[in-house]
Amino acid sequence: MTAAFKAKQRPLTEGEIAAFTARAAELVPDDALAQGAVDVFLRDLPDDHVAAGQALLDFICSWSRIPTTEEIRRAETLLTEDLPRGFDAWQREAGHG
């Protein structure tokens, strides 16, 4: 994620690219999907570092099942609501369907 955020801000240095490549190989050595995302990131980085960073960030969030902003807001809302209990709670959730 660090490399993705950096790429969205500025071009990565050769050292940062080398460190990212090595770290990715350590973290996901047997994950073809993740390695494919790394390969695409590295391929696209020289042409459009912002888009490459965003694409990698989008992949990481989806791949690692990091909740989206909307999911976080919904969870926060549910945690702060004064929810009904028992049968009334079941009725409320059944209505969401």
Side-chain angles (χ1 to χ4, degrees):
M1 288 183 84
T2 301
F5 282 123
K6 283 183 180 181
K8 288 181 60 172
Q9 298 298 316
R10 60 171 173 73
L12 298 183
T13 66
E14 287 185 30
E16 289 171 328
I17 293 169
F20 167 75
T21 304
R23 186 71 175 136
E26 289 175 17
L27 291 175
V28 290
D30 300 324
D31 189 320
L33 192 60
Q35 282 298 325
V38 167
D39 293 343
V40 169
F41 173 72
L42 294 172
R43 183 196 69 214
D44 293 347
L45 197 57
D47 295 328
D48 188 350
H49 60 89
V50 175
Q54 185 62 56
L56 181 61
L57 188 59
D58 291 344
F59 170 80
I60 292 169
C61 289
S62 172
W63 172 80
S64 64
R65 301 192 192 339
I66 294 173
T68 65
T69 304
E70 294 79 26
E71 292 169 328
I72 291 169
R73 282 191 199 125
R74 175 75 176 136
E76 288 172 344
T77 300
L78 288 173
L79 290 173
T80 58
E81 285 181 7
D82 186 21
L83 297 175
R85 302 203 184 283
F87 183 76
D88 291 335
W90 177 82
Q91 287 285 6
R92 178 183 181 274
E93 290 305 312
H96 283 75

